[in-house]
Amino acid sequence: MNLKIAFLQLTPEKRIEDNIKKGAAACRKAAEMGADIALFPEMFSCGYSIPQDINELKSIAISKDSGFVNAFKDLSKELSMAIAVTFLEKHEPKPRNSVVLFDRCGKEVLHYSKVHTCAFDAEKVLCGGDGFCVSELDFGRGKVKVGSMICFDREFPESARILGLSGAELILAPNACPMEINRLSALRTRAYENMLAVATCNYPTGQPDCNGRSSLFDGVPWLLSEPGIRDMCTFLAPGAEDVYIAELDLDQLRKHREEDVMGDKFRRPEKYKILLENNGGKERITPPAADYKAENIFMQAAIDEARDGIYNGDGGPFGCVIVKDGKVLGRGHNSVILNNDSTCHGEIAAIRDAEENLKTHDLSDCELYTTGEPCAMCLAACMWANIERVYYGCTIEDNSQIGFRDRKIDGMLGGRKNINGYLTEIDRKACLKLFEEYLKLDKTIY
């Protein structure tokens, strides 16, 4: 059973309306050529144009329910052909580089945002995605498990490995860079080591920093029934703008996955501990010197905790210290992202640290200093620990302004009108500077 993939190697237009027309015409041509899936190059909604001014950038970002995306949703149903459409996605606090895959009935089956943004270059103004996912695509004559990685994601073996371990047979890879021998070799390797196919669609020659050469690596380096090796690159487009079709032999790929030794068959995950600890074995980043400072020394200590966390990608800008008799007895910062644990807030971490240090569950006569007004969970934890008073920097409203849900959750629980006197705001100006610093970093809102 062959799966026909259309590579829409198109030069983008200046206006999004014209990109809809051009993209739709290409999809119709792909359908006439018998394609099962049509794949666009990276961020086709804006032609991979990334203004560095945040207001201008946000003005061209579009939602998943926008007219641009819905045009291809409707077209996929009309043509009975799956379409993977790419766009600059509206997202707070910064836009994302995204792809949505619609099946032949117009149903969304995959929504992925680029995890490894090119933060060293123009994409430093974008927000990275939350992770990788795999979905089953029904293309009419059969089904295939599909995932996605976008451009720079290919340089990280973990991207394709996670997709492979999640069952992906085909990776759709929108692209916007020169496809020279080294990048093509990376794609070849991702296909080879994970026993899966990688389909990459690039912009044609003439688009800045692009050269066409969309490709399909089918993931089958040899056939056990035949001598010798075979070239996994079953399709490589020229540089010219056009719609190109390549066929993926799914039966052959599945037979290879069943019979051969690559992929996860002989992995030794118990030996990969360094990949899971301490940022892959790297030393933690020391934050640069800040151009702001809190007036209260304990709030400054909380800010220092928060900055350590945000510069190392642990979580939100929430640091905390617990003080008794003028001495810091416990410290902590938000590590929700690091630990994949929604309860790892700074206050919880500091309470646990103080109780461990004091060998008691009772923190009577202690004060807590935190960069953001505690959420309902942390506020209750402070009370359970018998903390005498809580000092905070930014308010719940400030937390909401940078994308966190404190105010919404607090409203569902009835607000804070009954706890007057327990919470005291201090050093808000310095903590707002911390929040501004956080917004400039690549991060995940949760």
Side-chain angles (χ1 to χ4, degrees), residues 93 284 292 302-320 332-347 349 370-372 394 398-399 402-406 431 434-439 441-446:
R284 287 182 68 81
Y292 60 91
I303 289 174
D304 293 341
E305 269 292 323
R307 296 185 76 239
D308 177 61
I310 63 175
Y311 273 92
N312 285 282
D314 296 347
F318 307 108
C320 181
H333 61 258
N334 186 291
S335 57
V336 167
I337 302 303
L338 175 67
N339 294 305
N340 289 316
D341 184 341
S342 57
T343 67
C344 286
H345 290 200
E347 295 91 339
T370 179
T371 55
C394 290
D398 297 328
N399 297 349
I402 61 169
F404 292 91
R405 296 172 290 162
D406 303 55
C431 291
L434 167 68
F435 278 22
E436 291 173 9
E437 188 176 13
Y438 170 71
L439 287 176
L441 301 173
D442 188 23
K443 63 212 164 295
T444 299
I445 300 295
Y446 46 88

Side-chain angles (χ1 to χ4, degrees), residues 69-87:
V69 177
N70 279 331
F72 294 99
K73 174 183 178 179
D74 295 341
L75 195 59
S76 65
K77 184 176 182 180
E78 177 190 334
L79 300 176
S80 192
M81 177 184 70
I83 298 176
V85 59
T86 59
F87 58 107

Side-chain angles (χ1 to χ4, degrees), residues 322-325 329 355 358 360-367 382-389:
I322 292 175
V323 178
K324 184 177 182 179
D325 298 329
L329 302 176
E355 291 178 345
L358 294 174
T360 179
H361 61 276
D362 186 358
L363 298 182
S364 296
D365 301 322
C366 290
E367 297 174 334
C382 291
M383 294 177 176
W384 277 111
N386 295 321
I387 289 173
E388 185 175 305
R389 183 175 293 275

Side-chain angles (χ1 to χ4, degrees), residues 1-6 30-31 33-39 76 79-84 101-104 137-142 144 245-248 250:
M1 177 171 54
N2 285 7
L3 177 72
K4 291 187 176 182
I5 304 169
M33 298 168 72
D36 297 301
I37 304 176
L39 175 62
S76 65
L79 300 176
S80 192
M81 177 184 70
I83 298 176
L101 174 64
F102 296 107
D103 70 10
R104 64 193 178 93
L137 174 68
D138 184 340
F139 57 94
R141 292 174 294 106
V144 60
I245 295 283
E247 294 192 32
L248 172 63
L250 283 173

Side-chain angles (χ1 to χ4, degrees), residues 33 152 237 269 273 306 309 312 321 355 374 379:
M33 298 168 72
F152 193 48
K273 193 175 181 181
N312 285 282
V321 296
E355 291 178 345
L379 186 56

Side-chain angles (χ1 to χ4, degrees), residues 200-221:
T200 300
C201 185
N202 195 26
Y203 287 103
T205 300
Q207 175 74 354
D209 208 29
C210 292
N211 65 342
R213 308 191 83 191
S214 298
S215 62
L216 175 64
F217 291 89
D218 72 356
V220 184

